Amino acid sequence: MKKTNRIALGGLMAALSVAAMLMTGIVPMADFALPAIAGIFLAPVVVEAGYKAAWLCYGAVSLLSILVAPMKECALYYAAFLGFYPILKSLLERRRSRVVEWVLKLLVFNACLALITFSAWLVFRFPGFSELFQSAWWVLAGGLLLFNAVFVVYDIALTQLISAYLRWFRPKYILKIFK
């Protein structure tokens, strides 16, 4: 693929990601789904243009999301995990051991989840948040297990989407359009 085509694809995917982030104010109850969709648009950039272009695209979409997205917590979800995970996923999957790969993925996810939780707590100062840690730790542990289960499903679904892109969409459309 020519350099101009890679730039065009990166710009198109960034625009689609920003459009998904702008929809956070329109589509109710899509606080996690729309940032995840916006992050998925970066997978073709990794495949076609490489990691450098994908990180640049992620940075631009993160900055624009923080500035213009109506739901700032969705911009936080994108910037703190859902935006860069499709890029990081391909790097983590280069490991020879599936166990090491999944341990690293879960470590990254839980670190980002902690970052999001504590930054939201510091910014929004939810009353009773400190007491929740002390008295209802079992609720937090259950929530953590639920979030980890959802992450595993998300990772598997993302793998399936990337595989479909590589096997079906890329040969049928991308390679014909961007010769």
Side-chain angles (χ1 to χ4, degrees):
M1 184 180 283
K2 292 187 265 181
K3 186 175 183 177
T4 55
N5 291 342
R6 290 192 306 258
I7 292 170
L9 181 68
L12 178 65
M13 293 298 123
L16 288 171
S17 294
V18 171
M21 293 304 295
L22 287 172
M23 290 176 56
T24 59
I26 300 170
V27 180
M29 305 297 286
D31 293 353
F32 295 110
L34 287 170
I37 291 167
I40 290 169
F41 287 127
L42 296 183
V45 179
V46 172
V47 172
E48 305 299 340
Y51 294 108
K52 186 177 176 183
W55 284 111
L56 185 63
C57 201
Y58 158 74
V61 174
S62 294
L63 181 62
L64 286 170
S65 296
I66 290 167
L67 293 174
V68 301
M71 302 286 288
K72 298 305 180 196
E73 61 269 14
C74 294
L76 176 66
Y77 301 150
Y78 180 86
F81 181 71
L82 292 168
F84 71 82
Y85 183 71
I87 304 167
L88 188 64
K89 176 180 171 56
S90 67
L91 293 171
L92 292 175
E93 289 180 348
R94 290 182 175 181
R95 305 278 176 208
R96 294 195 186 270
S97 170
R98 296 288 252 172
V99 174
V100 172
E101 172 188 318
W102 275 102
V103 167
L104 289 173
K105 286 179 181 181
L106 287 168
L107 282 172
V108 167
F109 171 72
N110 285 297
C112 291
L113 184 63
L115 173 77
I116 291 168
T117 302
F118 288 115
S119 63
W121 175 63
L122 288 172
V123 171
F124 299 117
R125 293 286 184 187
F126 293 123
F129 197 73
S130 298
E131 292 80 21
L132 183 66
F133 275 115
Q134 296 168 354
S135 63
W137 60 268
W138 55 273
V139 173
L140 294 172
L144 184 65
L145 285 174
L146 178 66
F147 273 122
N148 278 276
V150 170
F151 167 71
V152 169
V153 170
Y154 167 72
D155 185 81
I156 292 168
L158 185 57
T159 300
Q160 295 299 317
L161 283 170
I162 293 168
S163 295
Y165 171 78
L166 291 171
R167 290 188 187 129
W168 179 76
F169 192 81
R170 184 175 190 245
K172 192 169 184 179
Y173 296 107
I174 298 297
L175 294 178
K176 289 180 182 175
I177 294 171
F178 296 107
K179 288 184 181 182

